[in-house]
């Protein structure tokens, strides 16, 4: 059953507002919305009333549990937000709510794309009975297996099996095609819209959505890792990007970030010899690894910086990178940008080797990040700074 499959994969679900960000980027129509981090945020609401406030938790059944409420003015909205923020749904409290314009649909559908692991083929699911009361009985849920290269034929076939007629066929088929593109491009496990609202004039709107990320594909989609980390998961998901032997967490206060196994272990050994206590060490991989991936190598660096600074115990970060193709200036700018965004004070000791290093050192100095040429000096400064 689809429901059972969801329950085992909930930890990789994006929240609704994150799923809708992907929908918007893919051209799937979504309503104007705004994230609410506390009830007082509603005083600055840019969306006209009436609105709907939705609890952003992974748990299902939000509507029946009271996690989705309508409001027609600011006073009602603040009261509703206070109630939702304090309402656990299946043990989960929301960190953020989604405020969205109210939409009056004449009909609601259910659409989903997921991988049939038995057939090893994508499957399109659709029902003309979407919304809270959607059921997964065989007579109401239509199914189309994509057994060859995807074409619009599959989308129209599902729309026809759902009983759609007239202009609704093309409108819903277009949404299915875009869902499939998102599913394939992001290597996802599930893309779901429930409900897809449709009006008498033929306008369609994704009123709720779910996206389940494939853990094995995270090393190819670092932006999805960043979305997952926005949700205060019980455990960081860096394991999907950096193998356990490349990112090791310890109990000290000094984070170590290098590229290449040899350089990483040499830096770690020198820190330990100097009586330093690492909080962790991370090997970003050699540049060959960086450029063997589809993503921007600087994005990999940003993820590495997030990993080594995740622990609140980390007060000093030692960065030791040898660049070949990547310019040191680009690395320096990334380090400065990250250091300015981190929400707590942290001492940075940076040793860069590679092209454009003089300009990089100037950039680091201007941002008050310590830059040194010698590894021994970098280790000494880092250990003393803890």
């Amino acid at each position: 059953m689809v429901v059972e499959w969801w329950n085992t994969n909930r930890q990789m679900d994006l929240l609704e507002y994150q799923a809708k960000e992907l929908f918007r980027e893919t051209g799937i129509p979504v309503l104007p919305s705004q994230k609410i981090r506390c009830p007082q945020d509603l005083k600055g609401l840019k969306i006209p009333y009436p609105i709907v406030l939705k609890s952003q938790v992974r748990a299902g059944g939000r509507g029946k549990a009271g996690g989705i409420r309508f409001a027609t003015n600011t006073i009602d909205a603040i009261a509703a937000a206070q109630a939702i923020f304090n309402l656990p749904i299946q043990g989960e409290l929301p960190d953020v709510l989604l405020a969205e314009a109210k939409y009056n649909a004449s009909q609601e559908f259910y659409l989903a794309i997921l991988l049939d692991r038995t057939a090893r083929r994508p499957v399109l699911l659709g029902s003309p009975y979407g919304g809270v009361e959607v059921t997964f009985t065989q007579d109401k849920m239509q199914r189309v297996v994509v057994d060859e290269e995807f074409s619009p034929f599959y989308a129209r076939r599902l729309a026809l099996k759902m009983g759609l007629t007239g202009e609704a066929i093309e409108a819903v088929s277009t949404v299915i095609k875009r869902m499939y593109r998102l599913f394939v491009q992001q290597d996802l496990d599930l893309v779901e819209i429930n409900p897809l609202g449709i009006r008498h004039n033929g306008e369609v709107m994704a009123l709720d959505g779910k996206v389940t990320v494939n853990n094995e594909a995270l090393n190819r989609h670092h932006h999805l890792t960043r979305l997952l980390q926005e949700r205060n998961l019980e455990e960081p998901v860096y394991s999907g990007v950096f193998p356990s032997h490349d990112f090791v967490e310890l109990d000290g206060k000094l984070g170590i970030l290098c590229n290449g196994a040899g350089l990483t272990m040499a830096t770690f050994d020198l820190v330990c010899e100097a009586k330093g206590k690492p909080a962790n060490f991370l090997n970003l991989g050699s540049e060959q690894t960086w450029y063997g991936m589809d993503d921007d190598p600087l994005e990999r660096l940003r993820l590495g910086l997030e990993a080594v600074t995740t622990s609140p115990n980390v007060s000093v970060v030692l960065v030791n990178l040898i660049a070949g193709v990547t310019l040191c200036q680009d690395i320096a700018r990334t380090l400065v940008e990250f250091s300015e965004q981190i929400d707590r004070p942290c001492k940075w000791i940076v040793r860069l080797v590679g092209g454009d290093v003089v300009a990089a050192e100037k950039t680091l100095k201007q941002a008050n990040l310590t830059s040194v040429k010698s590894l021994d000096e970098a280790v000494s400064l880092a250990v003393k700074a803890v």
Side-chain angles (χ1 to χ4, degrees):
M1 290 291 292
V2 175
V3 174
E4 294 171 347
W5 183 87
W6 283 341
N7 289 335
T8 59
N9 288 274
R10 181 182 292 173
Q11 68 274 18
M12 300 306 293
D13 289 344
L14 299 182
L15 296 171
E16 178 190 353
Y17 78 86
Q18 297 170 327
K20 286 185 172 176
E21 287 176 6
L22 296 180
F23 289 173
R24 187 176 290 108
E25 293 170 3
T26 313
I28 297 171
V30 294
L31 292 167
S33 61
Q34 190 171 330
K35 286 183 285 186
I36 304 298
R37 299 192 180 280
C38 67
Q40 297 308 311
D41 284 355
L42 287 159
K43 293 182 179 178
L45 193 66
K46 299 177 181 176
I47 303 168
Y49 288 94
I51 63 167
V52 57
L53 287 169
K54 300 181 180 181
S55 177
Q56 295 301 284
V57 292
R58 290 168 290 167
R62 294 176 302 169
K64 290 182 178 178
I68 297 177
R69 303 190 185 200
F70 294 92
T72 56
N73 56 56
T74 303
I75 294 176
D76 289 347
I78 290 176
Q82 288 173 337
I84 297 174
F85 271 119
N86 291 287
L87 176 69
I89 301 178
Q90 297 182 28
E92 185 179 1
L93 281 169
D95 295 318
V96 63
L97 309 185
L98 182 67
E100 200 170 66
K102 186 180 178 182
Y103 190 81
N104 295 314
S106 59
Q107 192 174 359
E108 295 181 341
F109 304 128
Y110 173 90
L111 295 175
I113 299 174
L114 71 159
L115 185 66
D116 184 327
R117 296 186 182 278
T118 302
R120 298 184 178 182
R121 304 298 307 173
V123 176
L124 314 181
L125 297 177
S127 171
Y129 306 99
V132 177
E133 303 299 335
V134 66
T135 61
F136 295 93
T137 55
Q138 191 170 1
D139 60 324
K140 293 183 178 178
M141 186 64 69
Q142 304 303 320
R143 185 173 186 269
V144 172
V145 178
V146 182
D147 51 9
E148 296 180 354
E149 184 176 354
F150 183 81
S151 74
F153 160 78
Y154 288 102
R156 287 196 295 273
R157 185 180 175 192
L158 179 65
L160 290 170
K161 291 184 73 171
M162 290 167 61
L164 303 183
T165 59
E167 295 180 352
I169 295 175
E170 185 59 29
V172 174
S173 296
T174 299
V175 173
I176 296 170
K177 286 185 285 187
R178 292 172 180 172
M179 290 172 67
Y180 192 85
R181 188 171 69 203
L182 177 63
F183 178 80
V184 172
Q185 289 181 343
Q186 305 295 332
D187 292 317
L188 301 172
D189 277 348
L190 171 74
V191 178
E192 180 199 69
I193 297 177
N194 183 37
L196 176 78
I198 185 168
R199 283 179 163 168
H200 291 296
N201 62 4
E203 180 189 67
V204 292
M205 194 68 64
L207 301 180
D208 198 353
K210 178 175 286 186
V211 166
T212 302
V213 173
N214 186 314
N215 185 48
E216 300 300 322
L218 280 177
N219 61 350
R220 296 192 295 271
H221 304 287
H222 292 169
H223 64 291
L224 295 178
T225 302
R226 297 172 70 88
L227 290 177
L228 287 168
Q229 289 164 354
E230 288 179 5
R231 305 173 318 168
N232 294 328
L233 284 173
E234 291 82 358
E235 295 181 357
V237 292
Y238 296 113
S239 58
V241 182
F242 304 112
S244 58
H245 58 272
D246 280 343
F247 180 46
V248 177
E249 295 183 90
L250 303 166
D251 57 359
K253 295 183 178 180
L254 174 59
I256 301 173
L257 184 146
C258 307
N259 60 334
L263 188 66
T264 304
M265 295 317 300
T267 307
F268 176 78
D269 288 345
L270 287 172
V271 168
C272 293
E273 288 177 6
K275 309 299 182 186
K277 293 184 177 180
N280 53 55
F281 65 84
L282 170 61
N283 169 24
L284 283 177
S286 66
E287 280 196 306
Q288 184 177 5
T289 303
W290 295 17
Y291 283 94
M293 306 177 68
D294 293 335
D295 294 310
D296 182 356
L298 296 176
E299 177 65 14
R300 185 174 178 83
L301 172 59
R302 277 187 283 270
L303 277 173
L305 293 169
E306 288 181 6
V308 298
T309 56
T310 294
S311 169
N313 293 331
V314 173
S315 59
V316 179
V317 180
L318 170 57
V319 178
N320 183 20
L321 299 176
I322 297 179
V325 179
T326 308
L327 290 175
C328 288
Q329 177 70 315
D330 291 338
I331 293 175
R333 291 191 181 115
T334 303
L335 292 172
V336 170
E337 180 183 346
F338 184 86
S339 69
E340 292 174 345
Q341 293 175 353
I342 194 170
D343 57 0
R344 55 191 167 81
C346 208
K347 180 72 174 178
W348 294 82
I349 311 295
V350 182
R351 182 214 179 209
L352 295 180
V353 176
D356 211 17
V357 70
V358 174
E361 290 172 345
K362 183 177 179 181
T363 298
L364 293 169
K365 184 178 180 180
Q366 289 174 340
N368 293 320
L369 273 63
T370 301
S371 175
V372 298
K373 297 182 183 299
S374 160
L375 176 56
D376 288 337
E377 184 182 4
V379 169
S380 175
L381 289 174
V383 172
K384 290 177 181 175
V386 174

